[in-house]
Amino acid sequence: LAHMDVSDELQTVILEAIRGSDGGSSLRMGTMPVQFISGHTHYRGYQKLDDYSTSIEAGRYLDTVGFASLPTHSSIETDNALTITNTPPANTTPLPSLLQHVFVNASRSALQMFCQTNTTSFDTPAGLNLS
């Protein structure tokens, strides 16, 4: 969301539209993982919007790589959890323990550490051809 920071109220409006988009069908939109990639204020920010959605803003001027990982909807649902109530079943794991994020400084050494490589193995032939 190019011009919405992590705390922009419009994200809540969009999230509510997503949550209500099933029109009362059997889909459990209340537990559908939603990740907003935000940006506007040029700072590193992260906000939990509800138990199954967050927003991340990864800094400014390419000084930061923001990495977010979230589960698929099917990985957090149980076999018998598809109802129209939008109430997560008791045995559903809340998103905070399933969603991970990290801010990585956009320096060569930080990216090497994040990628678990070193100076020799970090460069690829395709990458070297770009420079």
Side-chain angles (χ1 to χ4, degrees), residues 28 30-31 51-52 77 81 85-92:
R28 182 179 290 285
T31 59
D51 283 344
Y52 296 91
E77 287 292 337
T85 63
N86 279 346
T87 303
N91 59 347
T92 300

Side-chain angles (χ1 to χ4, degrees), residues 19 21 28 32 37 61-62 76 78 80 85 99 113 131:
R19 296 282 184 243
S21 68
R28 182 179 290 285
M32 176 68 69
I37 308 298
Y61 313 123
L62 299 175
I76 61 169
T78 59
N80 62 354
T85 63
L99 183 94
M113 187 172 64
S131 55

Side-chain angles (χ1 to χ4, degrees), residues 5-7 12 14-15 30-31 33 36 38-39 48 50 68 74 80 82-83 87 89 102-103 109 118 122-123 128:
D5 66 37
V6 295
S7 59
T12 303
I14 295 169
L15 181 60
T31 59
F36 288 101
S38 307
K48 176 182 167 185
D50 68 19
S74 61
N80 62 354
L82 293 177
T83 66
T87 303
V102 64
F103 295 113
S109 60
N118 57 39
F122 186 72
D123 294 327
L128 291 170

